[in-house]
Amino acid sequence: MKRIGFAFFGLLICAVALFATGQPETKKTSIDFWHHESPTHRVAAFQQVIDAFKAQNPNIDVTQHVVSWDDSITKIVAALAAGNPPDMMFTYPSHTVNLYRTGGLTSVDSLVADLDKKYSYIPGETDQFKYQGHYWGVPVFTMIYALSYRPSFFQKYVGTTDPPETWDQFLDYAKKTTTDTPDGKIYGIGLGAGKNLFGAQQVYTLLINSGGMVFDKNGKVIFDSPETVRALQFYKDLMQYAPPGTTAWAWGEQEMAFASGKTAMMMSNGIPDARRFAEMGNSDIAAAPQPYLAGGKRGSISFVNGVAVFKKAQDRGNMDAVSKFISFMMVPEQNATLCNMEPFSFLPVTKATMEHSGYWEHPMIKPLESSGRAIMDSLQYGTLWGIENGGWTNLAIGAIESSGIIADVAQKVAVGELTPAQAAKWGQSEMEKIVATAQ
């Protein structure tokens, strides 16, 4: 009886302890993730989502580390070699190809399928991380090239606030808005020609509209084509209405020229100056889908930003926690927070976030809602080099992008070093060399 009594007393003590703490103690999980959005307000947005996640998942710690885009590949390769990569990292498609080639990624098929079922990915967005039937990244938000413009400039020099829809109109608007004023010269288009990713984006979005591609469906380079020559010729025609010195431009120079009233139009990711104009109290900004060649292909370059997960997350036993956090980022309320780090530059990849009322209530979104809805229609036409056929068609695309060949082609045309036909042929030859060594 005494033994029974002691046993009962021991159980009573355990029950009291459990009641006092609420739950048995569980093991904490720590997730390390890298992203590349260094501006203070973007870091704060990520932390806001992390804090909200932590409130619902107190046993999972999430730590963000900012690694610049320029350093990301070098640092992640070093981390993989040392056996200590993060659990997950933000990435974009061709960047993900390079990560895939290290052998350090794990596929995320079931997670993508689950999120698609819950929130409905916009068709084509998941293709940017697809290879051989598997997904190597989870889309979180996207960017699509559009045409930003100053409506007052159009009204004054073109006679309408309607944006151009075709290439012929585009060129006409650029010509008419290139003019001398008492405050200095206005140029029709802020068109980049730098040997950088920005320069490559500028010419490639025109290549899409012309119907050109880098690879065919079998992964063969088909850059040297009538479509590419046509796009490069139009690029050259537009360049005569761009400011001098654009061979040294990147995104910042383009956006500053537009915000200062030096240029009437720019092709870039969504509405990249939305935040700057809102902070200036300037409402003279609008955006429309990328103009296209009549009879060509409707579309624009797009860069889906997503999350790649490393095999090390499995080794650490962190996959469940990682999946929970990624899923939390895709809840419309949280996903809207991430998209609105840069209103109408970072766009939703799911219909659920696109239709979420909280997304449209953002103070920088509301004034530009009509422009935002117009460029969102372009998402269904978005594509990227090497992914024109529903997934990665050639693993050399990461090396081709890193080499800067597409940007080099653009610059050679812009400065008159090569004709469009010569540049297309040169680009084809250089790409074939990379394909021969990168496969």
Side-chain angles (χ1 to χ4, degrees), residues 126-290:
T126 56
D127 286 348
Q128 295 208 10
F129 295 107
K130 188 177 182 180
Y131 182 60
Q132 294 186 339
H134 296 287
Y135 294 102
W136 302 97
V138 181
V140 177
F141 55 83
T142 191
M143 297 181 287
I144 186 83
Y145 251 54
L147 184 73
S148 291
Y149 59 94
R150 302 289 292 265
S152 68
F153 289 17
F154 282 7
Q155 184 65 66
K156 184 172 183 178
Y157 300 113
V158 185
T160 180
T161 57
D162 294 335
E165 294 184 3
T166 66
W167 275 10
D168 287 343
Q169 292 175 340
F170 194 7
L171 197 61
D172 181 58
Y173 278 44
K175 179 179 180 179
K176 288 178 178 176
T177 53
T178 301
T179 184
D180 292 312
T181 76
D183 296 323
K185 188 164 186 175
I186 295 172
Y187 293 88
I189 179 77
L191 191 64
K195 288 186 180 181
N196 47 35
L197 182 58
F198 169 70
Q201 290 177 352
Q202 296 282 287
V203 73
Y204 185 75
T205 199
L206 299 176
L207 181 65
I208 293 169
N209 298 142
S210 181
M213 294 189 292
V214 173
F215 297 113
D216 66 13
K217 63 182 180 180
N218 297 314
K220 180 182 177 182
V221 179
I222 54 170
F223 187 74
D224 185 12
S225 68
E227 292 80 8
T228 296
V229 174
R230 186 166 56 191
L232 291 174
Q233 182 60 56
F234 184 69
Y235 175 76
K236 183 178 181 179
D237 293 342
L238 270 181
M239 188 56 73
Q240 63 186 311
Y241 304 116
T246 59
T247 53
W249 275 20
W251 298 274
E253 288 80 6
Q254 183 197 51
E255 292 166 21
M256 286 301 296
F258 182 78
S260 65
K262 188 175 182 180
T263 57
M265 297 181 283
M266 66 174 174
M267 297 186 298
S268 196
N269 295 313
I271 314 177
D273 268 346
R275 180 177 293 276
R276 183 177 284 114
F277 271 64
E279 291 170 349
M280 293 190 304
N282 188 341
S283 60
D284 189 27
I285 182 174
Q290 178 71 36

Side-chain angles (χ1 to χ4, degrees), residues 14-29:
C14 290
V16 170
L18 180 59
F19 179 78
T21 59
Q23 294 291 335
E25 184 178 351
T26 57
K27 181 182 176 182
K28 279 187 175 288
T29 301

Side-chain angles (χ1 to χ4, degrees), residues 50-73:
I50 290 170
D51 291 343
F53 177 75
K54 176 72 173 177
Q56 293 185 21
N57 301 272
N59 293 310
I60 302 176
D61 288 326
V62 181
T63 303
Q64 60 168 316
H65 287 103
V66 180
V67 180
S68 73
W69 281 113
D70 290 341
D71 295 336
S72 58
I73 283 292

